[in-house]
């Protein structure tokens, strides 16, 4: 898509725009790159809609929507943007009263499920605004990664990721988890996507989006590009759902946090939020199941994307072809589309399905399994785009294996460190309580920093010499910590080295450790024999 | 799951170091492999004890470790004196829905799963007798793959042998989270210690 295409669309949809007389804006710098980027956004949007088999009537909606996205530059209040979007999408609903429910992002139920939307949009767009305020050229965003990225950010710490797994397929956009947009550029685009995708979530997830975008806001508001990186890192971390962070990501996130001093507190809050939010997300998910069981369709009016909507409809209209298709694929076992969530309380036999109690139970069991698999998908890094039980299990096995190997390697390493295990323990306890940086890979790091300090008093007084504790608190190097015995000469140097290492080295180390531990294992096996 | 990761990690660290101390005081001259074994064992036990036996894998770790008579002393020291691995001291403090004791779970679950397997086998035999040529090769292949991998996973997750799929995945979930915590703790220790080698 280039600017010419954009101009054509402008002319075509002028009437549509006129109809939507709300003040639309997007603080879009008039660089062509950005326009291209946004055009890409719009194009792919339309492709999505098209791809989902919608009629062309959705296209004007998209055009107007997209057009309004980038038609105005530097216009005032961003609140209107939310309304514009809402109105644009409302138009789509109006124009498609039959409800082309197969529209991906626009699969809103026409029964007035809009109410929860504006606040969420507001939240999202509040986040949208500050980055746009900043000058500078935006790099061309990679939309596919953004959508997947946003999707993950949207389901940040919310285990209703079951619906997100299904979201991936309708978009049929290849995701690349390894690619994260770095830099200030994609911020506005992906937040807008966040908003778009977020509208598909159910209410709880929408709250999470708001939370995520607010976090992004709090981070983005403080400073400029450096902070933006932190923001993006945080969002990325959020996208990985906290627990799902590999140490690499968390390392970078932490380094970003260290870079921007002001970011630490919001990151701390957010990380803490992330830490607890996994649980919250779990609880929310379980509640969500209960809700579905209750059949509260209006509450989930926003739908959860195609599959979510389908699952609702399946209970109501078992005759839909999509459900049949899903059932067939379900029977195949390793299928691409995840089966819809089971209703624990009230199970209905779908069309083409045996009403045998055994098969019902089978189906429930299968759905349980798929739910859990989705949870695991969020946990294991690099698995969100993987669908199918066999591949997922493969990844899980590899991950568990690698973790166990890491444990073995680390124990090996520790065994070689010092012949006298207990000699360092006094200093160690003090040091390690003060060194939460070393192990940040799960669930945020800043909570540790703050939580570590109060823990000091819990240590038995005999174990830790008070001087050591005091010095450790004040961040002294290892060399200053008194050791009962065995002062290795290079202790000071190594201590400094470790402290100043930073996360990149740890990353490299982690990669090396995996290779090393295999060698060491072999060595050890030989020595044992 | 993990309410406060930092606290959890500190707990693991403390228990681990406690175990190491108690162990090293009794054994003075240890070979490298023995040291490694002790370190790993105490780390695993620390992890399992912090998890408090509310999960099968934690109980399984402790059971496995206690099968070796050499480890009994360490186990007792780490988990509290007078606490036998078979005894209900491993009963979960956190309220799990099944809320079973350590030893009971194993047997009952084993019985349940083995009986399920028998039933499945019979059903399969009955079905396959009257079946026409396989219509869906892909599905069967997929199922076979899944089964193979499930079995592999059962090998990796401690205590996963006698579990059905659903609970296996739950256990794996939990296990992964806590295993990560353990790795963090160990890595923190490894980084903070000076890297002197002594062999």
């Amino acid at each position: 898509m280039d600017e010419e295409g954009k101009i054509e669309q402008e002319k075509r949809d002028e009437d549509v725009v006129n109809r939507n007389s709300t003040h639309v804006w997007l603080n879009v710098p008039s660089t062509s790159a950005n326009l291209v980027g946004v055009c890409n956004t719009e194009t792919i949007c339309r492709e999505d809609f098209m791809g989902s088999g919608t009629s062309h009537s959705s296209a004007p909606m998209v055009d107007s929507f997209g057009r309004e996205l980038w038609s105005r530059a530097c216009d005032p209040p961003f609140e209107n943007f939310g309304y514009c979007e809402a109105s644009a999408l409302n138009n789509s609903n109006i124009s498609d009263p039959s409800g082309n429910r197969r529209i991906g992002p626009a699969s809103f139920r026409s029964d007035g499920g809009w109410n929860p939307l504006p606040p969420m949009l507001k939240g999202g767009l509040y986040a949208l605004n500050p980055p746009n305020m900043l000058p500078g050229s935006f790099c061309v965003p990679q939309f596919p990664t953004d959508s997947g990225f946003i999707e993950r950010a949207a389901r940040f710490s919310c285990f209703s990721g079951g619906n997100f797994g299904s979201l991936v397929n309708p978009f049929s956009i290849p995701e690349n988890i390894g690619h994260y947009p770095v830099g200030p550029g994609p911020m506005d685009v992906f937040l807008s996507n966040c908003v778009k995708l977020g509208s598909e979530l159910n209410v709880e997830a929408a709250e999470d989006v708001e939370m995520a975008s607010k976090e992004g806001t709090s981070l983005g508001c403080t400073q400029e590009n450096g902070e933006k990186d932190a923001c993006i890192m945080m969002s990325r971390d959020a996208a990985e759902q906290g627990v799902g962070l590999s140490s690499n990501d968390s390392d970078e996130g932490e380094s970003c946090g260290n870079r921007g001093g002001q970011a630490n507190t919001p990151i701390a809050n957010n990380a803490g939020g992330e830490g607890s939010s996994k649980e919250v997300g779990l609880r929310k998910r379980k509640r969500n199941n209960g809700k579905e069981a209750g059949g509260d369709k209006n509450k989930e009016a926003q739908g959860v994307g195609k599959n979510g909507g389908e699952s609702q409809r399946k209970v109501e209209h078992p005759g839909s072809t999509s459900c049949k298709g899903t059932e067939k694929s379900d029977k195949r076992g390793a299928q691409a589309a995840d089966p819809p969530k089971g209703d624990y309380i009230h199970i209905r036999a779908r069309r083409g399905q045996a009403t045998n109690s055994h098969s019902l139970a089978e189906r429930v069991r299968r759905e349980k399994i798929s739910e859990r698999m989705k949870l695991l998908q969020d946990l294991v890094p690099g698995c969100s785009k993987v669908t199918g039980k066999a591949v997922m299990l493969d990844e899980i096995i590899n991950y568990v294996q690698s973790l166990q190997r890491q444990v073995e390697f680390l124990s090996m390493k520790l065994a070689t460190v010092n012949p006298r295990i207990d000699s360092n323990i006094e200093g160690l306890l003090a040091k390690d309580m003060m060194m939460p940086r070393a192990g940040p890979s799960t669930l945020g790091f800043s909570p540790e920093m703050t939580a570590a300090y109060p823990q000091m008093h819990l240590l038995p007084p005999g174990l830790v010499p008070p001087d050591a504790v005091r010095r450790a608190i004040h961040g002294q190097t290892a060399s200053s910590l008194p050791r009962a015995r065995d002062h290795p000469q290079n202790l000071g140097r190594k201590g400094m080295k470790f402290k100043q290492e930073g996360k990149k080295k740890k990353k490299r180390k982690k990669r090396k450790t995996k290779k090393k531990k295999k060698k060491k294992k072999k060595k050890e096996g030989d020595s044992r024999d | 799951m993990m309410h406060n990761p930092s606290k959890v990690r500190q707990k693991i660290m403390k228990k681990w170091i406690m175990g190491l101390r108690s162990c090293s005081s009794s054994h003075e001259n240890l070979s490298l492999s023995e040291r490694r074994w002790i370190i790993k064992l105490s780390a695993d036990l620390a992890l399992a004890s912090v998890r408090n036996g509310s999960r099968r894998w934690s109980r399984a770790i402790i059971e496995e470790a206690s099968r070796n008579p050499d480890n009994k002393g360490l186990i007792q020291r780490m988990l509290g004196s007078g606490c036998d691995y078979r005894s209900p001291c491993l009963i979960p403090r956190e309220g799990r829905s099944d809320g079973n004791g350590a030893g009971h779970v194993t047997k009952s679950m084993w019985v349940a799963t083995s009986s399920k397997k028998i039933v499945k086998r019979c059903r399969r035999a009955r079905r396959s007798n009257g079946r026409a040529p396989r219509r869906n090769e892909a599905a069967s292949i997929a199922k076979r793959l899944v089964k193979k991998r499930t079995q592999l996973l059962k090998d990796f997750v401690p205590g996963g042998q006698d579990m059905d799929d659903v609970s296996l995945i739950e256990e794996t979930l939990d296990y992964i989270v806590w295993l990560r915590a353990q790795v963090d703790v160990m890595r923190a220790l490894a980084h903070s210690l000076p890297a002197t080698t002594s062999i």
Side-chain angles (χ1 to χ4, degrees):
Chain A
M1 259 289 181
D2 50 2
E3 292 182 333
E4 297 173 355
K6 162 200 137 195
I7 295 169
E8 284 173 334
Q9 291 166 15
E10 275 185 339
K11 289 179 186 164
R12 236 190 299 141
D13 306 321
E14 213 174 320
D15 48 343
V16 178
V17 174
N18 290 336
R19 253 187 282 130
N20 306 333
S21 55
T22 55
H23 308 286
V24 187
W25 79 283
L26 181 69
N27 261 341
V28 169
S30 52
T31 58
S32 58
N34 183 61
L35 289 171
V36 168
V38 179
C39 284
N40 285 339
T41 307
E42 183 208 324
T43 312
I44 296 173
C45 260
R46 200 187 301 136
E47 279 171 14
D48 291 337
F49 298 149
M50 296 305 196
S52 336
T54 64
S55 67
H56 61 279
S57 56
S58 65
M61 181 275 290
V62 183
D63 290 346
S64 68
F65 172 60
R67 189 209 175 286
E68 284 159 359
L69 264 184
W70 42 253
S71 62
R72 317 279 208 90
C74 302
D75 268 347
F78 53 87
E79 293 97 2
N80 295 326
F81 182 69
Y83 298 126
C84 164
E85 185 179 2
S87 69
L89 294 163
N90 267 326
N91 282 341
S92 81
N93 270 349
I94 292 166
S95 60
D96 294 331
S98 60
N100 265 323
R101 293 194 181 104
R102 297 192 78 85
I103 302 174
S107 67
F108 307 103
R109 300 178 71 88
S110 49
D111 51 358
W114 280 100
N115 299 332
L117 191 54
M120 186 274 296
L121 279 177
K122 268 190 185 167
L125 291 154
Y126 177 63
L128 187 60
N129 190 26
N132 290 328
M133 294 300 225
L134 294 171
S137 61
F138 293 75
C139 57
V140 178
Q142 301 171 17
F143 181 84
T145 60
D146 290 343
S147 74
F149 178 5
I150 297 317
E151 170 201 343
R152 268 172 272 121
R155 58 177 173 160
F156 155 79
S157 83
C158 172
F159 280 97
S160 58
N163 305 309
F164 293 97
S166 62
L167 275 180
V168 176
N169 295 321
F171 281 126
S172 59
I173 293 173
E175 283 184 50
N176 194 350
I177 297 167
H179 282 104
Y180 290 102
V182 182
M187 193 67 166
D188 55 340
V189 180
F190 80 69
L191 278 172
S192 68
N193 297 338
C194 182
V195 162
K196 254 188 282 165
L197 284 171
S199 55
E200 305 160 35
L201 310 177
N202 47 19
V203 182
E204 298 159 340
E207 290 168 3
D208 288 336
V209 171
E210 194 175 0
M211 196 161 61
S213 41
K214 268 188 189 154
E215 288 167 3
T217 308
S218 62
L219 288 171
C221 271
T222 46
Q223 283 174 19
E224 303 198 359
N225 293 340
E227 285 303 319
K228 271 214 165 153
D229 289 342
C231 178
I232 288 165
M233 297 299 184
M234 253 344 267
S235 308
R236 188 203 314 181
D237 293 348
E240 298 261 5
Q241 294 207 19
V243 179
L245 278 176
S246 64
S247 60
N248 297 342
D249 294 333
S250 62
D251 291 345
E252 288 167 14
E254 199 193 0
S255 66
C256 280
N258 290 334
R259 231 189 298 145
Q262 295 183 19
N264 272 342
T265 338
I267 284 178
N269 298 335
N270 298 334
E274 281 176 39
S276 56
S277 57
K278 185 187 172 195
E279 242 196 307
V280 171
L282 259 183
R283 271 186 259 128
K284 278 186 177 175
R285 218 192 108 257
K286 289 181 179 159
R287 238 197 305 138
N288 190 22
N289 285 343
K291 254 201 254 171
E292 279 188 319
D296 192 357
K297 303 293 187 285
N298 287 334
K299 193 90 200 283
E300 302 178 356
Q302 294 178 356
V304 202
K306 189 168 76 172
N307 266 353
E310 280 183 2
S311 72
Q312 308 292 339
R313 274 172 283 122
K314 266 178 199 168
V315 180
E316 292 170 350
H317 310 287
S320 60
T321 49
S322 60
C323 117
K324 212 176 178 184
T326 314
E327 275 309 309
K328 281 185 185 159
S329 63
D330 199 8
K331 286 174 190 167
R332 265 182 235 124
Q335 70 273 15
D338 299 316
K341 275 195 213 173
D343 191 344
Y344 293 127
I345 295 175
H346 156 80
I347 305 163
R348 202 170 192 159
R350 302 190 189 113
R351 180 170 175 168
Q353 182 86 25
T355 52
N356 203 358
S357 63
H358 287 296
S359 17
L360 278 179
E362 266 285 323
R363 186 161 26 112
V364 168
R365 176 186 155 271
R366 264 201 308 261
E367 284 163 351
K368 267 194 209 173
I369 288 181
S370 59
E371 262 176 62
R372 306 254 160 60
M373 295 285 286
K374 280 164 205 166
L375 275 180
L376 273 174
Q377 217 174 27
D378 304 329
L379 205 57
V380 176
C383 262
S384 50
K385 58 174 171 172
V386 169
T387 49
K389 267 196 228 173
V391 190
M392 263 306 302
L393 281 172
D394 211 22
E395 290 293 319
I396 291 165
I397 286 169
N398 285 337
Y399 190 57
V400 169
Q401 228 174 357
S402 73
L403 283 175
Q404 284 176 344
R405 275 194 226 128
Q406 271 183 44
V407 167
E408 283 184 27
F409 171 71
L410 284 168
S411 65
M412 181 71 183
K413 187 175 172 192
L414 284 168
T416 62
V417 160
N418 201 307
R420 320 218 49 166
I421 301 173
D422 59 342
S423 62
N424 296 315
I425 283 176
E426 295 157 8
L428 262 181
L429 274 174
K431 251 189 108 207
D432 288 307
M433 298 311 167
M434 294 304 118
M435 279 189 63
R437 279 191 58 197
S441 69
T442 59
L443 294 177
F445 44 91
S446 306
E448 291 175 82
M449 286 194 213
T450 51
Y453 290 93
Q455 294 286 333
M456 283 312 300
H457 67 278
L458 296 176
L459 292 171
L463 260 182
V464 185
D467 292 343
V469 170
R470 229 190 316 121
R471 265 181 243 127
I473 288 173
H474 293 300
Q476 293 286 321
T477 63
S479 54
S480 59
L481 285 174
R483 306 266 182 185
R485 303 146 220 181
D486 290 349
H487 287 261
Q489 280 141 7
N490 53 355
L491 173 59
R493 252 192 295 126
K494 290 272 178 163
M496 291 285 293
K497 197 174 156 193
F498 279 135
K499 271 192 180 173
Q500 293 165 4
E501 235 182 30
K503 295 307 157 187
K504 283 184 184 174
K505 261 205 171 179
K506 218 166 279 177
K507 233 202 299 181
R508 249 181 280 142
K509 227 176 183 179
K510 191 184 176 190
R511 273 185 227 135
K512 279 189 200 166
T513 56
K514 284 191 181 171
K515 292 180 193 168
K516 274 189 192 173
K517 68 184 171 241
K518 285 184 186 171
K519 288 185 196 167
K520 286 209 172 177
K521 247 183 137 181
K522 280 184 189 170
K523 260 193 221 169
E524 220 225 323
D526 296 336
S527 64
R528 266 193 190 162
D529 301 336
Chain B
M1 290 196 195
M2 249 208 224
H3 299 273
N4 193 344
S6 58
K7 280 191 183 155
V8 158
R9 268 179 236 146
Q10 282 162 12
K11 271 192 220 170
I12 295 176
M13 173 79 85
K14 277 186 206 164
K15 281 223 160 168
W16 182 29
I17 292 183
M18 200 172 69
L20 285 177
R21 283 187 72 124
S22 66
C23 205
S24 60
S25 56
S26 49
H27 302 70
E28 280 304 319
N29 291 325
L30 297 170
S31 71
L32 182 69
S33 51
E34 279 176 341
R35 271 209 307 273
R36 179 182 162 279
W37 174 251
I38 284 176
I39 288 173
K40 176 160 193 298
L41 181 67
S42 42
D44 289 341
L45 286 175
L47 183 70
S49 66
V50 170
R51 195 65 185 93
N52 235 345
S54 59
R55 278 283 179 177
R56 274 227 61 209
W57 58 263
S58 54
R59 292 193 288 269
I61 287 178
I62 296 171
E63 283 171 30
E64 267 181 62
S66 40
R67 263 176 227 149
N68 190 345
D70 299 333
N71 302 335
K72 254 193 177 168
L74 177 62
I75 292 173
Q76 278 187 6
R77 278 190 295 258
M78 286 194 72
L79 302 178
S81 55
C83 175
D84 194 7
Y85 69 97
R86 277 193 215 97
S87 76
C89 74
L90 294 177
I91 284 178
R93 266 183 238 156
E94 315 166 16
R96 282 269 301 154
S97 52
D98 42 51
N100 285 322
H104 306 295
V105 175
T106 320
K107 204 177 180 186
S108 64
M109 289 202 67
W110 178 82
V111 166
T113 45
S114 57
S115 56
K116 271 190 212 168
K117 284 178 190 164
I118 294 171
V119 169
K120 273 189 193 169
R121 224 180 294 148
C122 295
R123 223 187 288 161
R124 218 183 301 144
R126 231 188 301 138
R127 266 193 233 146
S128 59
N129 282 338
R131 202 177 259 183
R134 280 179 170 175
R135 285 169 212 162
N136 222 343
E137 284 272 358
S140 52
I141 290 173
K143 278 187 193 163
R144 229 186 302 141
L145 281 178
V146 167
K147 267 193 197 145
K148 238 194 250 176
R149 280 155 196 187
T150 316
Q151 188 54 45
L152 264 181
L153 189 61
K154 284 186 180 174
D155 293 334
F156 277 115
V157 174
Q161 285 299 330
D162 310 321
M163 295 178 81
D164 57 330
D165 287 346
V166 179
S167 21
L168 176 68
I169 296 183
E170 273 186 37
E171 288 287 313
T172 313
L173 255 178
D174 199 65
Y175 185 54
I176 286 178
V177 173
W178 287 80
L179 202 57
R180 254 202 279 213
Q182 186 188 17
V183 167
D184 287 340
V185 163
M186 294 181 80
R187 199 183 290 142
L189 194 62
H191 282 180
S192 61
L193 281 177
T196 48
T197 57
S198 58
I199 299 175

